[in-house]
Amino acid sequence: MKMRTIETGNLEETQKLGEQLGSHAEENMVFLMKGIIGAGKTTMTQGIARGMGVRKTVSSPTFTIQKIYHGTSMDLYHIDAYRLEGIEQDLGFEDDFENGGLTVIEWSEFFPGILPEEYLAIEIRPTGDTAREIVLEAHGAAYEALLEEIQ
Ligand SMILES: Nc1ncnc2c1ncn2[C@@H]1O[C@H](COP(=O)(O)OP(=O)(O)OP(=O)(O)O)[C@@H](O)[C@H]1O
Ligand SMILES: [Mg+2]
């Protein structure tokens, strides 16, 4: 397992990091995001989307659970599992992991389905008003290669 810790000082820097990940993401990849309310998960996903060539502005999918955005070469499946806490039922979301696109899950600890064996874990920790410590953990060779692309 390969790990990188990156500090950002404002939301733009977090989005830039997301943009790098989005631009190098490959089809069927899964990013699992953790971090308290307001940590910056959706903000970072906005950058990921931009890196994928999504033109629409990504907004929080809390009430819809999942939103799909069309990128240049693949789609972004943006899931927010916050409202799924405690739900044991299999909602069939994992079908999406082989959707030919990139799946990003906020509040992945509350995701009720089976998570993939290989994924990129993204944990965003607020360390100040606008300062964040972002821990990237690559689980699987493709994700380790992805981390190498990050500057
Ligand atoms: N360095 C930073 N990185 C990301 N967001 C930042 C940063 N500094 C300040 N912010 C602000 O923090 C907030 C992050 O909100 P965001 O909706 O992205 O959080 P979230 O983790 O998705 O929360 P939720 O759990 O409610 O979905 C935004 O208002 C953003 O402008
Ligand atoms: Mg959010």
Side-chain angles (χ1 to χ4, degrees), residues 99-112:
N99 48 25
L102 169 67
T103 302
V104 175
I105 307 180
E106 296 191 31
W107 292 101
S108 58
E109 61 269 51
F110 295 156
F111 187 77

Side-chain angles (χ1 to χ4, degrees), residues 7-102:
E7 318 222 324
T8 67
N10 53 52
L11 74 108
E12 288 83 8
E13 285 178 23
T14 299
Q15 289 180 334
K16 284 247 166 68
L17 175 61
E19 213 172 314
Q20 292 189 60
L21 290 170
S23 67
H24 292 103
E26 290 166 10
E27 54 183 57
N28 297 333
M29 278 192 160
V30 177
F31 295 174
L32 302 180
M33 285 186 162
K34 289 186 184 177
I36 60 166
I37 291 172
K41 301 178 292 297
T42 300
T43 300
M44 186 161 171
T45 307
Q46 289 168 345
I48 292 170
R50 202 182 300 154
M52 294 171 70
V54 172
R55 285 161 166 269
K56 268 197 191 169
T57 302
V58 166
S59 58
S60 176
T62 305
F63 295 102
T64 45
I65 312 292
Q66 177 179 254
K67 286 189 182 175
I68 302 172
Y69 299 89
H70 303 300
T72 312
S73 59
M74 60 180 180
D75 290 346
L76 167 64
Y77 292 74
H78 185 199
I79 295 173
D80 188 328
Y82 186 68
R83 292 200 318 142
L84 302 179
E85 182 182 9
I87 293 178
E88 310 255 311
Q89 222 172 325
D90 182 350
L91 298 175
F93 278 118
E94 60 272 24
D95 298 345
D96 290 329
F97 299 157
E98 300 208 352
N99 48 25
L102 169 67

